[in-house]
């Protein structure tokens, strides 16, 4: 119990104090005109109330991630608390804030464009293709699942294909209509529901007398899965997730004031960390520890079964409604913004203005035609690659943030240290995972660390060379 409550206090303190230091280092300015006003177009660039932008950002980056990932991460035992607490404050929230604010400073630029500005054109070209592909795949994956659940809950007349069609229509409208028409209206409601579901579960665990395990650094995973690097990949949302940076430019285009960036980007990530911490505690406490939790999560019921049983038992009929809301609508709200992000990325790549509906349709129609085709493809292996890609995205984005901070003569170690860590995690994982090269774990971990150190040296040399060029120009003038 003390570990859990202490973790919540540390997360809140991270927002109250550390985020202000990060904001100071970045140098946000209250009187600087944001893209929402400078480029206002009534479609993607629209000034919105800060509380709305915060809740939309929270739902954009969260969805089911901090629930399912946390439940699976809890199988490692209470050590998962450590990763969520410190990963969120020192890694994920810093990643989200700095990358989001860089987007604000560059007129709401997309992630691959930011990579190009600070890591070079070669990285930009690769990340452009990968970002569009990634966003479309994420959107497609979150069509079939919710459609199957809706088909089970409605009369036989409304089968899976009917609901796939309905969800695709919704995705299409959310992708092409102004952001305040659909997303701006329903996202705050779903974001609040997701948060209050976690608060209800957390409160019930505490006040109904469940025993939450205290901190232990012992790996308790029932299948003896190693903590390094597997836990850091399993728990992405709630700690560090590169997918967040693909979504942040949408809100960077709606932010009224740069000073609101701390609430929106850093604050939303801390909120997600709170949700993840609650679900780790709930999984361990409700089932009496890892063995009980493992039986359901690793069985046929899976994480969804655990979430449904916990919420229904702790919150009663209201809990069942919230579960349905989460399991069905949270994936849908991830899918629609993924498609919208893909459209925005394509528009940037092609330098194709999006004010006119005709222009949006030119990009959206072919994209959704491909999505319809992909809906009929099985994605079990492909999606496992996506879990790795989220952390690989974080790795690349953190390095880009480090270059930005270095060039601005700020404390680049704020993002460089997390970048080194995530590089080691990402490389170690893909080398040994069954979705990757299936190499021996010890060898993979050594190579992962070596690559992280190599990237560190490359970063140092690049910055040193950049300083030399700047000095030569200054002397020449």
């Amino acid at each position: 119990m003390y570990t859990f409550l202490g973790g919540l206090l540390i997360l809140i303190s991270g927002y109250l104090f550390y985020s202000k230091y990060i904001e100071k280092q970045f140098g946000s300015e209250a009187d600087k005109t944001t893209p929402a006003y400078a480029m206002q177009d009534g479609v993607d660039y629209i000034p919105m109330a800060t509380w709305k932008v915060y809740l939309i950002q929270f739902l954009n980056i969260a969805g089911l991630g901090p629930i399912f990932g946390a439940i699976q991460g809890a199988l490692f035992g209470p050590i998962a608390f450590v990763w969520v607490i410190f990963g969120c404050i020192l890694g994920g929230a810093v990643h989200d804030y700095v990358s989001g604010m860089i987007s604000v400073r560059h007129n709401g630029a997309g992630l691959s464009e930011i990579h190009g500005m600070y890591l070079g054109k070669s990285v930009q070209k690769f990340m452009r293709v990968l970002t569009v592909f990634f966003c479309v795949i994420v959107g497609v994956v979150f069509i079939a699942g919710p459609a199957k659940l809706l088909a089970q809950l409605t009369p036989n007349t409304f089968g899976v294909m009917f609901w796939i069609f309905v969800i695709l229509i919704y995705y299409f409208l959310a992708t092409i209509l102004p952001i305040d028409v659909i997303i701006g209206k329903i996202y705050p409601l779903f974001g609040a529901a997701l948060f209050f579901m976690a608060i209800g579960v957390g409160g019930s665990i505490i006040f109904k007398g469940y025993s939450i395990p205290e901190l232990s650094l012992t790996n308790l995973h029932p299948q003896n899965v190693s903590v390094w690097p597997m836990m850091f990949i399993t728990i992405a949302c709630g700690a560090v997730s590169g997918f967040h940076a693909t979504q942040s430019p949408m809100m960077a285009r709606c932010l009224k004031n740069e000073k609101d960036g701390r609430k929106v980007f850093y604050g939303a990530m801390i909120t997600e960390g709170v949700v993840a911490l609650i679900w780790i505690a709930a999984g361990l406490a409700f089932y009496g520890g890892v063995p009980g939790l493992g039986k359901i999560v690793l069985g046929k019921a899976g994480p969804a079964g655990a979430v449904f049983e916990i919420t229904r038992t702790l919150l009663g009929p209201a809990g069942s409604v919230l579960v349905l809301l989460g399991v069905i609508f949270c994936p849908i709200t991830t899918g629609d913004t993924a498609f919208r992000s893909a459209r925005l990325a394509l528009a940037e790549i092609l330098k194709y203005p999006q004010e006119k509906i005709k222009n949006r349709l030119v990009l959206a129609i072919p994209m959704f035609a491909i999505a319809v085709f992909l809906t009929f493809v099985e994605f079990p292996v492909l999606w496992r690659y996506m879990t790795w890609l989220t952390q690989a995205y974080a790795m690349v984005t953190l390095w880009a943030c480090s270059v930005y901070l270095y060039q601005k003569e700020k404390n680049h170690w704020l993002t460089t240290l997390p970048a080194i860590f995530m590089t080691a995690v990402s490389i170690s994982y893909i080398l040994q995972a069954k979705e990757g090269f299936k190499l021996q774990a010890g060898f993979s971990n050594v190579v992962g660390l070596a690559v992280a150190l190599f990237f560190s040296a490359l970063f140092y040399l690049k910055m040193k060379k950049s300083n030399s060029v700047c000095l030569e120009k200054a002397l020449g003038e």
Side-chain angles (χ1 to χ4, degrees):
M1 178 70 77
Y2 293 112
T3 299
F4 170 63
L5 295 177
L8 290 176
L9 181 61
I10 294 171
L11 282 171
I12 294 169
S13 298
Y15 173 73
L16 293 176
F17 302 107
Y18 190 61
S19 69
K20 290 182 179 179
Y21 175 69
I22 300 298
E23 180 185 50
K24 183 178 179 180
Q25 285 298 306
F26 182 85
S28 65
E29 301 176 29
D31 58 351
K32 203 174 187 70
T33 304
T34 62
Y37 292 108
M39 304 185 69
Q40 189 168 354
D41 63 2
V43 180
D44 299 309
Y45 293 87
I46 299 177
M48 294 176 66
T50 303
W51 67 270
K52 273 192 174 184
V53 179
Y54 159 76
L55 284 172
I56 294 170
Q57 174 71 5
F58 170 57
L59 194 59
N60 273 355
I61 66 175
L64 287 177
I67 301 177
F68 281 17
I71 285 288
Q72 294 178 88
L75 294 177
F76 291 95
I79 191 174
F81 286 135
V82 179
W83 171 229
V84 168
I85 295 166
F86 295 104
C88 182
I89 293 172
L90 302 176
V94 175
H95 163 278
D96 290 12
Y97 175 77
V98 177
S99 63
M101 290 304 295
I102 292 175
S103 179
V104 171
R105 285 286 172 89
H106 290 288
N107 296 323
L111 182 59
S112 58
E113 306 312 297
I114 291 172
H115 290 157
M117 293 173 198
Y118 298 102
L119 298 178
K121 294 299 180 184
S122 297
V123 175
Q124 181 186 55
K125 290 175 183 177
F126 178 74
M127 294 305 294
R128 277 176 168 177
V129 175
L130 192 61
T131 299
V132 174
F133 168 77
F134 184 44
C135 288
V136 170
I137 293 301
V138 169
V140 168
V141 168
F142 289 127
I143 294 174
K148 290 176 182 177
L149 287 170
L150 285 167
Q152 293 173 10
L153 296 170
T154 53
N156 293 334
T157 310
F158 305 111
V160 175
M161 290 306 302
F162 170 81
W163 286 112
I164 285 177
F165 182 69
V166 170
I167 292 171
L168 277 168
I169 291 176
Y170 166 74
Y171 280 177
F172 187 78
L173 293 174
T175 298
I176 65 169
L177 291 176
I179 195 164
D180 60 342
V181 172
I182 294 179
I183 293 174
K185 286 184 169 58
I186 67 170
Y187 263 51
L189 297 175
F190 288 139
L194 180 65
F195 180 69
F196 285 116
M197 177 173 74
I199 295 298
V201 168
S204 297
I205 287 291
I206 293 172
F207 294 112
K208 291 185 178 182
Y210 287 89
S211 177
I212 303 174
E214 299 299 346
L215 179 62
S216 167
L217 300 182
T218 305
N219 180 12
L220 302 177
H221 201 287
Q223 295 180 332
N224 201 32
V225 176
S226 63
V227 170
W228 179 276
M230 302 305 177
M231 185 180 73
F232 305 100
I233 296 291
T234 302
I235 306 176
C237 291
V240 177
S241 173
F243 177 69
H244 298 180
T246 68
Q247 304 299 293
S248 294
M250 280 189 289
M251 292 301 97
R253 302 177 185 205
C254 299
L255 208 63
K256 286 184 174 182
N257 191 305
E258 279 198 0
K259 288 293 183 180
D260 294 333
R262 186 174 71 91
K263 304 183 188 78
V264 171
F265 299 121
Y266 200 102
M269 183 61 213
I270 291 294
T271 306
E272 188 180 43
V274 169
V275 171
L277 202 72
I278 288 172
W279 278 102
I280 291 171
L284 293 172
F286 186 84
Y287 291 104
V290 171
L293 177 63
K295 287 180 182 178
I296 186 166
V297 172
L298 298 175
K300 291 183 179 179
V307 170
F308 184 80
E309 185 176 13
I310 291 170
T311 314
R312 182 183 59 183
T313 303
L314 296 180
L315 303 182
S320 299
V321 173
L322 286 172
V323 167
L324 292 176
L325 181 70
V327 175
I328 294 175
F329 293 107
C330 281
I332 290 175
T333 56
T334 299
D336 61 4
T337 50
F339 277 117
R340 190 178 185 94
S341 295
R343 173 180 67 79
L344 295 176
L346 282 171
E348 279 189 307
I349 293 168
L350 301 173
K351 301 188 184 306
Y352 196 50
Q354 295 292 284
E355 290 89 345
K356 296 179 180 179
I357 185 68
K358 173 181 69 69
N359 291 14
R360 281 170 265 152
L361 290 173
V362 166
L363 297 182
I365 289 174
M367 187 170 68
F368 275 89
I370 294 171
V372 170
F373 170 76
L374 293 175
T375 301
F376 298 97
V377 179
E378 293 293 332
F379 281 100
V381 175
L382 186 59
W383 183 243
R384 286 198 294 270
Y385 279 110
M386 296 300 106
T387 62
W388 171 72
L389 271 177
T390 61
Q391 303 306 62
Y393 264 101
M395 170 188 76
V396 178
T397 302
L398 283 164
W399 282 118
C401 291
S402 294
V403 174
Y404 174 88
L405 291 175
Y406 189 99
Q407 290 180 351
K408 297 296 180 181
E409 299 182 340
K410 303 295 184 179
N411 183 5
H412 70 86
W413 291 108
L414 298 172
T415 52
T416 300
L417 289 176
I420 294 170
F421 182 84
M422 293 311 300
T423 300
V425 167
S426 301
I427 301 301
S428 297
Y429 176 83
I430 200 62
L431 288 177
Q432 64 190 267
K434 61 182 179 181
E435 298 84 27
F437 296 94
K438 303 178 182 179
L439 300 178
Q440 196 270 335
F443 173 78
S444 301
N445 294 338
V446 170
V447 173
L449 179 60
V451 172
L453 294 175
F454 171 75
F455 276 20
S456 303
L458 199 63
F459 169 76
Y460 173 76
L461 293 173
K462 180 179 174 66
M463 293 305 97
K464 188 176 180 181
K465 182 179 179 181
S466 175
N467 284 345
S468 298
V469 172
C470 291
L471 181 61
E472 288 175 5
K473 287 183 177 179
L475 292 174
E477 293 173 356

